[in-house]
Amino acid sequence: MYNFFSASMLWRLSLFLFVVSLYLFLAWVVSGGEKWWIIDYVDGQNIFYGDDAYRFFLSRSFLLNPDLYHYNFVLPGAMVLDGLVTTLTDSDLLLSRCFHALIGSLSICLIYDSARSLGVTRKISFFAILLLAFLPRFSLMSISFYGEAWLGGFICLSIWLYVKKKYFWLAFVASCVPLLRPEGIFFLSAYGVFFIFERRWKELLL
């Protein structure tokens, strides 16, 4: 049973609050009305225009047009998840990005907890995770409507489940990854090989 006032829990809470504050601020910065702060150039490419905006508008129709699921621009898993987000937020762009910010922050905390469970020291885990959180590609993608936002979250969750040896739920999460981004099949294959070596046939079939 967790002691929510222990030092380890306070570290996790501090990490989550710091990262979520950073990502919520970024979500606010890039979701302006007439005036936008253009901070999203990564490797010479702009993240929050074009494809990101198109995916946002597609997600608003995830229950209205079944033909969208035959369109390979957005895979069905990401379409449904983003569609649920835009439905819950009444298609508000800022609130939708804030929801993504929460998912990205939780992903960071899952990796931190995984590192601590593997015996990595608190200081090294903390600063390593901060380095990941501040990476422009990771932080900006985490609040976008690209499939990579969900892919990163599911991969972080699958790593945490693997470390915690929750193999049934690991199999379930891993099976969803290829529905988010095509490259998810490589992560699913890796876990599939692991289940074969461990002779976990039930998880493999799932």
Side-chain angles (χ1 to χ4, degrees):
M1 186 174 183
Y2 281 110
N3 179 3
F4 290 97
F5 297 101
S6 65
S8 61
M9 286 303 298
L10 290 176
W11 271 88
R12 287 167 171 79
L13 181 61
S14 299
L15 176 64
F16 173 77
L17 291 176
F18 178 79
V19 176
V20 78
S21 298
L22 170 65
Y23 286 5
L24 289 175
F25 174 73
L26 288 176
W28 174 74
V29 165
V30 301
S31 301
E34 296 179 358
K35 294 184 179 180
W36 292 62
W37 291 14
I38 302 176
I39 62 169
D40 55 325
Y41 278 103
V42 179
D43 294 333
Q45 296 179 339
N46 188 282
I47 293 178
F48 294 121
Y49 296 89
D51 286 352
D52 175 69
Y54 191 42
R55 284 172 166 83
F56 169 70
F57 287 111
L58 285 178
S59 69
R60 297 169 62 182
S61 303
F62 86 112
L63 290 176
L64 303 177
N65 187 359
D67 291 338
L68 292 177
Y69 296 95
H70 304 153
Y71 186 32
N72 63 2
F73 190 76
V74 183
L75 292 185
M79 173 76 74
V80 170
L81 290 171
D82 278 332
L84 292 173
V85 170
T86 54
T87 299
L88 290 172
T89 60
D90 197 24
S91 299
D92 185 284
L93 179 60
L94 174 59
L95 291 180
S96 297
R97 292 205 190 282
C98 288
F99 193 95
H100 278 282
L102 291 173
I103 299 300
S105 302
L106 286 172
S107 302
I108 290 287
C109 291
L110 288 174
I111 293 299
Y112 173 82
D113 192 61
S114 299
R116 295 292 293 129
S117 297
L118 291 172
V120 182
T121 64
R122 180 180 299 161
K123 183 179 294 185
I124 292 177
S125 300
F126 188 77
F127 285 106
I129 290 306
L130 284 185
L131 180 62
L132 174 62
F134 276 101
L135 284 175
R137 176 68 73 178
F138 186 90
S139 59
L140 295 174
M141 280 292 189
S142 292
I143 58 175
S144 75
F145 285 88
Y146 287 94
E148 286 85 349
W150 292 109
L151 177 66
F154 271 64
I155 290 174
C156 292
L157 177 57
S158 69
I159 292 172
W160 183 82
L161 291 169
Y162 171 78
V163 171
K164 298 296 183 179
K165 298 182 179 181
K166 299 180 182 295
Y167 296 130
F168 177 83
W169 290 109
L170 168 61
F172 176 76
V173 170
S175 66
C176 297
V177 171
L179 300 175
L180 304 171
R181 286 286 302 172
E183 54 266 39
I185 190 66
F186 298 110
F187 295 93
L188 176 61
S189 300
Y191 286 125
V193 171
F194 166 75
F195 290 139
I196 291 174
F197 277 104
E198 291 292 316
R199 297 185 178 181
R200 294 186 171 275
W201 311 118
K202 181 176 66 176
E203 287 84 356
L204 181 65
L205 292 175
L206 180 63

